[in-house]
Amino acid sequence: MFFTTDAMKTQPPPIFDRRRRRKGPRRLVISLLVLLFLLPAIPHLLTLRNPGPPTRPADAIFVLTGGEGRIPEGYRAWSGGAARELYILGAGRRVHVTRIVPEASGVSAEALSRVHVEGWSGNTLENAFSAKSAVGEGKYSSVILVTSDYHVPRAYLAFRKVLPPDVSLFVIRVRPEAGPGASWRWARRHFLEGWKYWGYRILLRWE
């Protein structure tokens, strides 16, 4: 049997055909890995555009408990004049403010009356509805959200969805404390919170 020159040119060498078949699964794995780490990174990159503390005092500060350094950072901002009212959300029932903020024992009774400890909310979405109730009662037009930097995307999303659209929302990011394993904890928390953000996007779409 004789082969024409054109047939010999169009027939790929077997070795290159095997390489193509090997690259297929490899490209799929690489694509999945990119999606695995890119999707949770997007929310953190987007929230870098969120407004920081305002230049003039806000009506209230809302501190979300559950992360290291959040309450002290919120109290420092409030005592420094960043807002008139301070709300500590999800601190537990019947907890006096001086137990969670020892520095508050040295302030006047009038100032202490502007510090509110709420204990019923147990997650980020409940925190947002608790804040909505306080905003309605106080007729606030500008508030500051204080939470951990890794928690900002999901918390900001929930607050922006739940609070009235005419209420200005600002953010104070609380950086984690340094120490052994801090880098690993930082990466793990950002990764997990990135995926939780997408879960909240789906959940809040139907609210």
Side-chain angles (χ1 to χ4, degrees), residues 77-110:
W78 172 78
S79 60
R84 174 172 174 78
E85 307 289 328
L86 173 64
Y87 291 82
I88 302 174
L89 307 181
R93 298 183 182 276
R94 298 179 182 178
V95 178
H96 195 268
V97 62
T98 54
R99 284 186 55 191
I100 54 179
V101 187
E103 298 89 340
S105 59
V107 303
S108 66
E110 187 278 330

Side-chain angles (χ1 to χ4, degrees), residues 12-23:
I15 186 171
F16 290 108
D17 190 46
R18 287 197 299 270
R19 287 177 181 175
R20 287 197 199 98
R21 288 198 298 266
R22 291 173 184 171
K23 286 182 179 179

